[in-house]
Amino acid sequence: MQELDIAIDKLVSEMLSRGYARDSIGYYRRIFDRLTAFAKLRHFANAERALVAFEKESLSKYESGRISLPCHQAQANLVARIRNVLVGKAVIWRTNRVVTPVSKDFSKALDAIASSGNWTSDGVKRGVISALRTMFAWFDQHGMSDLSDLTRETVLRYYIEKSASIKHVVGMRSRLVLGLSTARSLGLISFDSSVIFKLRIPTRVRFRPAISDEAIARVIDGINLKTELGRRDYAMILLGLDSGLRPVDIANLRLSDVNWRDGSISVVQHKTAQPLGLPLSFGVIEAMKEYALNWRPRSNCRYLFVSCRPPRGKMDAKTPGARFARYAKKAGIDRQADQVVTFYGMRRRLGRNLATNRIPMTTVAQVLGHNGLKSAEHYMSLSPTVLAECALDFTGIEPGGAR
């Protein structure tokens, strides 16, 4: 169907102009191919009828569990965009990408670096170009608008100033190293920038307090234990409270990871790839048993906690945190005002309690699945008992001049 093919080509061209990655466009291309094959197979009279029928079939497949909700939503969104192209309306995009403006000289340099062809993936290229664009914009703001102003000293100034205002210095540093080395290989700059980034900038550490017992009680009180969703969330939140597991590790917990007889779990952590074995409290293992035996839907899924929507597969890694946030909102807890009422707040609570009870830092690190002691040390800052023991004793020391 020619008009459908023309509309799809226009849409793909606009996606490319908006900066969509080729990997993403490849994903959408497969949906377009399914749509065109669907239209040709059924010999529709026009493109609109093909779009309506394709949309209905997508909804039917989702409701019967043959495709996931994200897949159905992606197909429905593309159908809506194709329809807008066909009738000459402006395509509605979820987000409009705002590009930071830079001077003409810097813009030409970015184009040359982006087209150098030495990229392992589109994602790496986008990250490097974004980091360089931010740096070039900073140069513009400080009265430096061409590549001749790019020296080892000025780049060092930017690196030090920017590092003081962002959280992830390592990511920025790696992107700038790659971007500036590419610029040097193209002859755009003459100096070696690698020596600049050997300077390690200390990052700011934010100590967040642990969630209170009162807040946890309010969250749990809001769970409806008469539904499948409620029973799953109840077991999930109790598991996080008792074990301190990260949300992603709870989502990845398999049925075979649970030793139901002795009430323990054995997992391989997603973040560190290290194995971790933990005993569970009686009430937690009972809540998990209740969900697994009486409320968990029949499914071939090997994971303990499954999605409550078709096709009843593995739960998303963000679901534990999202469900906790929903119950916190239901309990009337303002998360903007109280940033500690999160799923990770329970992890900090466990670390604080272990430190307060004088459990060695090596044990705290092992229980919470940290690779080393440094990651576990900030739990000591949450414990006034331990901090008091670390404080200096000034008995007998008088201020200067006092007798």
Side-chain angles (χ1 to χ4, degrees):
M1 190 175 292
Q2 190 175 6
E3 62 174 334
L4 193 58
D5 292 336
I6 292 172
I8 289 174
D9 288 340
K10 286 183 179 178
L11 192 58
V12 170
S13 297
E14 188 164 353
M15 292 169 77
L16 284 169
S17 68
R18 286 178 170 269
Y20 274 72
R22 293 191 178 274
D23 293 344
S24 299
I25 292 176
Y27 169 75
Y28 294 128
R29 266 291 186 192
R30 291 191 288 275
I31 298 178
F32 292 144
D33 291 342
R34 286 200 295 269
L35 172 58
T36 53
F38 176 84
K40 289 175 182 177
L41 183 65
R42 288 164 176 75
H43 306 288
F44 289 103
N46 56 58
E48 177 57 28
R49 289 189 178 182
L51 293 175
V52 171
F54 184 75
E55 203 169 16
K56 285 183 178 178
E57 183 174 271
S58 177
L59 178 61
S60 175
K61 285 182 177 179
Y62 163 64
E63 290 176 341
S64 63
R66 285 181 288 170
I67 62 173
S68 65
L69 178 60
C71 180
H72 167 61
Q73 288 175 333
Q75 294 183 155
N77 287 336
L78 287 182
V79 165
R81 290 170 182 172
I82 293 171
R83 187 175 285 121
N84 283 353
V85 172
L86 286 170
V87 299
K89 289 184 178 180
V91 176
I92 300 173
W93 302 92
R94 183 174 298 177
T95 57
N96 291 318
R97 298 167 187 242
V98 179
V99 178
T100 304
V102 294
S103 68
K104 181 182 280 189
D105 196 26
F106 285 146
S107 183
K108 287 181 180 179
L110 288 174
D111 291 340
I113 294 169
S115 57
S116 67
N118 298 323
W119 307 106
T120 56
S121 70
D122 282 343
V124 171
K125 180 174 74 173
R126 287 199 308 274
V128 169
I129 296 302
S130 175
L132 288 176
R133 183 179 289 277
T134 302
M135 183 177 71
F136 290 161
W138 181 90
F139 271 70
D140 282 336
Q141 292 170 5
H142 289 76
M144 300 173 279
S145 57
D146 58 62
L147 288 172
S148 63
D149 296 317
L150 215 67
T151 65
R152 188 179 287 114
E153 291 72 25
T154 54
V155 171
L156 179 59
R157 274 183 57 200
Y158 169 77
Y159 176 48
I160 293 174
E161 183 175 316
K162 188 69 175 176
S163 296
S165 62
I166 64 173
K167 182 179 179 183
H168 300 291
V169 176
V170 175
M172 178 194 71
R173 181 169 60 226
S174 63
R175 294 184 184 103
L176 289 178
V177 167
L178 183 54
L180 290 174
S181 64
T182 304
R184 190 187 184 200
S185 68
L186 296 173
L188 299 175
I189 60 175
S190 59
F191 62 90
D192 179 11
S193 62
S194 61
V195 66
I196 299 171
F197 300 104
K198 289 179 180 178
L199 173 65
R200 293 296 185 258
I201 306 294
T203 56
R204 292 179 297 171
V205 180
R206 294 180 296 171
F207 295 120
R208 294 179 177 175
I211 188 172
S212 67
D213 293 346
E214 186 266 340
I216 291 173
R218 288 170 64 184
V219 167
I220 292 177
D221 284 345
I223 301 175
N224 183 2
L225 297 180
K226 296 181 180 180
T227 66
E228 172 199 328
L229 178 64
R231 284 290 177 176
R232 184 200 71 182
D233 293 348
Y234 180 67
M236 202 163 58
I237 290 173
L238 286 189
L239 176 59
L241 182 65
D242 193 51
S243 67
L245 282 177
R246 299 178 180 93
V248 64
D249 293 326
I250 289 179
N252 290 340
L253 185 67
R254 296 169 299 182
L255 288 164
S256 58
D257 293 334
V258 185
N259 188 324
W260 300 102
R261 287 190 175 182
D262 67 8
S264 64
I265 55 173
S266 300
V267 299
V268 176
Q269 299 167 94
H270 177 80
K271 184 176 180 178
T272 63
Q274 296 296 318
L276 177 67
L278 293 171
L280 299 177
S281 301
F282 177 78
V284 177
I285 201 70
E286 287 300 307
M288 291 166 62
K289 282 182 183 178
E290 175 66 20
Y291 167 70
L293 295 175
N294 301 321
W295 296 90
R296 186 178 183 273
R298 293 183 178 275
S299 171
N300 293 326
C301 182
R302 58 179 179 164
Y303 297 94
L304 172 60
F305 300 109
V306 298
S307 171
C308 290
R309 293 177 177 176
R312 301 290 194 171
K314 182 189 175 187
M315 185 176 63
D316 188 88
K318 295 180 180 179
T319 298
R323 295 303 302 168
F324 189 92
R326 189 179 184 90
Y327 290 119
K329 183 177 180 181
K330 182 180 177 182
I333 301 173
D334 183 3
R335 293 185 67 222
Q336 295 299 322
D338 194 352
Q339 292 291 329
V340 303
V341 185
T342 63
F343 206 94
Y344 271 93
M346 297 192 294
R347 182 175 171 82
R348 289 191 292 272
R349 175 184 178 274
L350 178 62
R352 178 203 63 190
N353 290 347
L354 290 173
T356 301
N357 287 290
R358 297 179 175 82
I359 302 299
M361 280 295 114
T362 52
T363 305
V364 175
Q366 289 171 359
V367 169
L368 295 172
H370 290 303
N371 279 334
L373 292 179
K374 189 172 182 180
S375 298
E377 283 175 354
H378 72 275
Y379 295 112
M380 193 168 66
S381 71
L382 304 177
S383 170
T385 304
V386 177
L387 284 179
E389 292 178 355
C390 295
L392 294 174
D393 184 3
F394 289 98
T395 302
I397 301 177
E398 299 174 342
R403 293 293 178 189

